[in-house]
Amino acid sequence: MPANAKRAVIVGASSGIGAALARELAADGYEVGLAARRLDRLESLGEALPTKAYVARIDVSEPDEAMGRLRRLFGAMGEVELVVLAAGVGETNWDLDWEVERRTIDVNVRGFAAAANVALDHFEARDGGHLVGISSVAGLFGNAAVPGYSASKAWVSNYLDGLRYRAGSRDADIAVTDVRPGYVDTEMATGGSRFWEVSAKTAARAIRRAIEREARRAYVPRRWRLAAWVLKALPDAAFRRMFS
């Protein structure tokens, strides 16, 4: 393994934004650690990358086991300087089915926190690194159709803020980026065409640019930044009409 190789780990790399970003980073020279539940997909993706790939089956809905597996992946790779947490679930849940809400919380909240904690421990030990978390524009407002998903993505954004402030208080050379995609054409998306929808490849390119500049927050595509500003200014009555 080249001593000067850049190394990144992507949790949630088997499909969608995670898989597309693995291709982007590998094209940029990164050796990539691929982590997700679906091992066969990870192996196929790893074989197709132009740089060395490490593969680990990690299910973040089982956080204790996931933390151990992620530590072992870091150990196998050595000096990991970038970790992207892209694993997530989102299901329409008008009936407020508890199993759907529980699954959303297990992956998007508990699983995210577990992986983020391992990443921060690694970065603090090596005195530097870059953590990227995929939240969502959906975290800016509640939504009756996906109440757990919207709430979990708001939690992700706030958690990333906290980790960034922690790093700053310790003078640690750790960057933390909150990526807030709008609609992205992935397996998780359902239904017909969606407002300002982009492909996973387009989203991954935008995320790579945000990584390069170590942005604190990045909207994907960037025009969602203006939309977010408008959404934050809307009165509650407007949200009730739009999302209930």
Side-chain angles (χ1 to χ4, degrees):
M1 140 188 340
N4 61 348
K6 299 182 292 184
R7 300 179 184 91
V9 167
I10 301 175
V11 179
S14 62
S15 64
I17 291 174
L21 185 57
R23 297 184 185 97
E24 283 288 318
L25 293 178
D28 197 33
Y30 278 86
E31 294 181 355
V32 186
L34 307 172
R37 290 183 301 108
R38 294 174 290 190
L39 188 59
D40 57 336
R41 292 196 178 195
L42 296 179
E43 290 172 339
S44 296
L45 175 59
E47 291 171 359
L49 296 181
T51 56
K52 184 175 178 60
Y54 301 77
V55 172
R57 185 187 183 281
I58 295 178
D59 182 354
V60 296
S61 68
E62 301 290 342
D64 292 333
E65 182 178 350
M67 292 175 80
R69 288 175 178 261
L70 189 54
R71 289 189 186 102
R72 289 193 290 275
L73 177 59
F74 287 166
M77 294 181 66
E79 290 292 311
V80 174
E81 63 195 67
L82 170 66
V83 176
V84 181
L85 304 183
V89 296
E91 302 173 61
T92 301
N93 193 19
W94 285 106
D95 295 331
L96 206 62
D97 183 331
W98 170 240
E99 285 304 306
V100 174
E101 299 298 272
R102 179 194 58 76
R103 186 161 52 246
T104 301
I105 293 167
D106 283 348
V107 174
N108 295 3
V109 176
R110 296 173 68 237
F112 185 93
N117 273 257
V118 174
L120 261 290
D121 284 345
H122 177 78
F123 292 153
E124 288 177 359
R126 71 183 294 272
D127 198 28
H130 190 175
L131 174 65
V132 178
I134 309 298
S135 62
S136 175
V137 171
L140 298 174
F141 48 83
N143 190 324
V146 285
Y149 177 78
S150 291
S152 71
K153 291 304 184 179
W155 186 93
V156 165
S157 288
N158 279 279
Y159 198 70
L160 289 169
D161 282 345
L163 297 181
R164 186 185 306 108
Y165 302 150
R166 169 193 165 89
S169 70
R170 298 183 174 213
D171 292 324
D173 187 19
I174 299 173
V176 179
T177 298
D178 175 12
V179 175
R180 299 177 177 181
Y183 293 115
V184 180
D185 184 14
T186 66
E187 293 178 9
M188 194 167 64
T190 59
S193 60
R194 288 161 288 273
F195 184 63
W196 283 349
E197 183 176 70
V198 298
S199 68
K201 183 175 182 179
T202 297
R205 286 176 175 171
I207 294 168
R208 179 177 56 79
R209 291 192 293 270
I211 291 170
E212 289 171 350
R213 67 178 190 273
E214 294 188 349
R216 292 190 172 198
R217 296 179 187 86
Y219 289 88
V220 177
R222 284 186 296 179
R223 53 185 175 268
W224 274 106
R225 182 181 297 275
L226 175 61
W229 183 85
V230 172
L231 287 168
K232 289 178 181 178
L234 289 176
D236 188 63
F239 280 101
R240 287 199 300 270
R241 289 194 296 271
M242 292 167 61
F243 302 116
S244 64

